[in-house]
Amino acid sequence: MTDLTALSYTSEHEWIALDGDVATVGITDFAAEKLGDVVFVDLPAAGSAVTAGDVCGEIESTKSVGELYAPLDGTVVEVNDAVVDDPSLVNADPFGDGWLVKIRLDGDLPADLLDRAAYEDLTA
Amino acid sequence: MNLHNAKKTALPIMNLVKMQGVPILDQLHLEERLLRSDFKNWCILNVGTPQPTIVMGVSGKPSELVNIKSVIYNQVPVIRRFTGGGTVIVDKETIFVTLICSREAVPLLNLYPQPIMSWTGTLYHDALSDFGKFHLRENDYVFNNLKFGGNAQSITKNRWIHHTSFLWDYDVKNMDYLKHPPRSPKYRLERSHEEFLCKMKYFVPSKLIFIEKTLNSLQKHFVLRPIQADDINALNIPYAPSSRLLTKEELEKELLSTTA
């Protein structure tokens, strides 16, 4: 069971779990619920550079497609193939098997990331 | 209502573009430019597209959604558009209504799929409830339980688009180009296209009345400012749109993948 208090969050409803200089990134249960059934994910390729705040992919639900924003600067080191094959993992286990990408951090984490309490205030 | 009154009442302005018979691919390109590279609110109305055309959502797979052999044989264009949602076949009897809005355009509207869908449902309920039992059923516009409009969205950080293809009339034969999709709304109940869909012309007296009623409903939320389609090109909004026509080679490759 993921310790949600150990994660950082963005105002775009992404979560980050930092392990050394590699951040695992996904979207929160709040975002997954608001999107509805996720049917397709378009993720940045491994090896690609991403910039904090820029669009780096898309998530499609039944009727809508929404943007995925890079939460930090870095290089994608791994893409979750399981979620590409089965996008429903984003709804079923957004903090676990539904993770999206791993990014090697370039520099520091953005200063405007939220802790769990601040994220809960945002979504209250 | 004129612009002077708009300022007094504080309704936001929405640019209104009315088109007739513009090819659906051109319409989609225009829409994506306005969504991604402009900041104003827009309503795009297009009555008909010149030839029957299949339009899939952003992740649509022809092998799952389309009877590829007959599409290739009859040279039916297949487009992959930039928004989510399902597959439709549109033609000269389809009426397209598109709304492109900034975050602040509709007060208190959360930019997620369901709230946007619900808001458009109230808009079209206002326009169409005089003509039949209009509902937003799951994510479709229906009279009773018969669908007459396919819609789709794309949501960015500060803007959203919701576009609908309304089936004023259609050739039942064209529905044979479409497979029963792998994902269907529950209320469809395995019905065929003919049993699931209805033609708006049997409910609404004329296309003009539908358009007028829709614009009247929109005017409760926006001040509509007519813009000529030619004037949009003069706005010089550069953007490389992603909606595109699939090539014959791509379709043949998909067909081979299903028979391999």
Side-chain angles (χ1 to χ4, degrees):
Chain A
M1 187 84 168
T2 306
D3 177 5
L4 301 185
T5 62
L7 304 176
S8 299
Y9 300 84
T10 72
S11 55
E12 303 303 330
H13 307 290
E14 289 151 355
W15 57 264
I16 302 162
L18 193 62
D19 182 5
D21 66 346
V22 175
T24 303
V25 177
I27 66 167
T28 65
D29 53 347
F30 178 87
E33 193 261 330
K34 290 296 182 190
L35 283 173
D37 292 340
V38 175
V39 299
F40 180 76
V41 292
D42 179 20
L43 300 174
S48 55
V50 293
T51 303
D54 283 1
V55 175
C56 66
E58 287 186 332
I59 297 183
E60 185 187 0
S61 55
T62 315
K63 281 284 185 183
S64 186
V65 63
E67 294 174 328
L68 183 67
Y69 306 98
L72 44 89
D73 293 338
T75 304
V76 177
V77 294
E78 192 178 344
V79 173
N80 187 357
D81 289 333
V83 91
V84 173
D85 291 339
D86 181 8
S88 70
L89 288 173
V90 174
N91 300 108
D93 191 11
F95 294 105
D97 291 339
W99 66 273
L100 297 175
V101 292
K102 295 190 181 190
I103 302 172
R104 188 177 309 281
L105 179 64
D106 180 14
D108 296 326
L109 281 174
D112 59 351
L113 292 180
L114 308 171
D115 62 16
R116 183 67 190 171
Y119 184 69
E120 286 181 348
D121 284 343
L122 177 71
T123 54
Chain B
M1 186 187 292
N2 60 31
L3 294 179
H4 173 69
N5 287 339
K7 289 178 183 163
K8 283 166 60 178
T9 61
L11 284 180
I13 292 168
M14 176 174 272
N15 291 331
L16 171 64
V17 181
K18 287 184 178 179
M19 307 190 294
Q20 182 86 29
V22 169
I24 182 60
L25 185 60
D26 292 350
Q27 178 187 326
L28 289 168
H29 286 170
L30 171 64
E31 290 175 0
E32 197 174 358
R33 276 168 63 204
L34 293 175
L35 173 70
R36 300 199 192 282
S37 305
D38 192 55
F39 57 89
K40 296 182 283 296
N41 305 314
W42 296 86
C43 174
I44 312 283
L45 273 170
N46 184 24
V47 181
T49 186
Q51 65 173 122
T53 304
I54 293 169
V55 186
M56 302 186 305
V58 67
S59 64
K61 295 188 181 75
S63 55
E64 290 179 0
L65 300 166
V66 167
N67 287 313
I68 302 178
K69 255 192 199 168
S70 56
V71 161
I72 292 175
Y73 183 78
N74 292 304
Q75 299 180 298
V76 180
V78 179
I79 290 169
R80 182 176 282 123
R81 65 177 186 266
F82 67 99
T83 52
T87 304
V88 293
I89 181 159
V90 295
D91 61 22
K92 58 182 173 54
E93 295 298 330
T94 308
I95 302 175
F96 302 96
V97 182
T98 297
L99 303 173
I100 302 171
C101 290
S102 63
R103 176 177 282 278
E104 313 80 27
V106 179
L108 303 177
L109 181 67
N110 289 316
L111 297 203
Y112 299 112
Q114 202 48 51
I116 292 173
M117 189 72 63
S118 294
W119 182 80
T120 69
T122 59
L123 191 81
Y124 287 113
H125 184 272
D126 232 0
L128 293 169
S129 57
D130 286 346
F131 306 116
K133 283 194 177 165
F134 172 87
H135 299 286
L136 173 63
R137 188 90 190 258
E138 294 182 47
N139 292 309
D140 294 334
Y141 305 133
V142 303
F143 284 125
N144 301 309
N145 69 343
L146 299 171
K147 177 178 174 176
F148 62 89
N151 56 66
Q153 300 173 2
S154 177
I155 303 172
T156 69
K157 194 179 279 192
N158 290 306
R159 286 170 73 69
W160 56 271
I161 179 171
H162 178 96
H163 55 193
T164 309
S165 53
F166 287 98
L167 299 173
W168 180 259
D169 193 3
Y170 57 84
D171 189 340
V172 170
K173 291 198 317 298
N174 285 342
M175 295 299 162
D176 290 341
Y177 291 120
L178 304 182
K179 290 185 176 178
H180 195 107
R183 288 183 301 270
S184 303
K186 292 188 185 66
Y187 80 97
R188 180 165 182 162
L189 299 171
E190 303 299 320
R191 287 179 284 167
S192 66
H193 282 103
E194 299 86 75
E195 294 165 325
F196 175 54
L197 301 173
C198 68
K199 300 177 181 182
M200 282 184 83
K201 69 177 188 178
Y202 294 136
F203 292 87
V204 185
S206 70
K207 290 178 187 175
L208 185 60
I209 287 176
F210 166 58
I211 290 168
E212 278 179 0
K213 285 284 204 173
T214 298
L215 295 182
N216 287 345
S217 182
L218 261 181
Q219 283 180 315
K220 294 178 184 171
H221 305 274
F222 299 94
V223 171
L224 298 180
R225 177 169 68 183
I227 298 272
Q228 295 300 314
D230 288 343
D231 292 342
I232 299 178
N233 291 326
L235 294 176
N236 196 22
I237 305 175
Y239 183 76
S242 56
S243 300
R244 65 179 189 85
L245 193 62
L246 299 189
T247 64
K248 187 177 171 203
E249 290 69 31
E250 285 172 307
L251 292 171
E252 286 169 344
K253 194 174 165 187
E254 281 269 326
L255 184 60
L256 280 174
S257 74
T258 62
T259 52

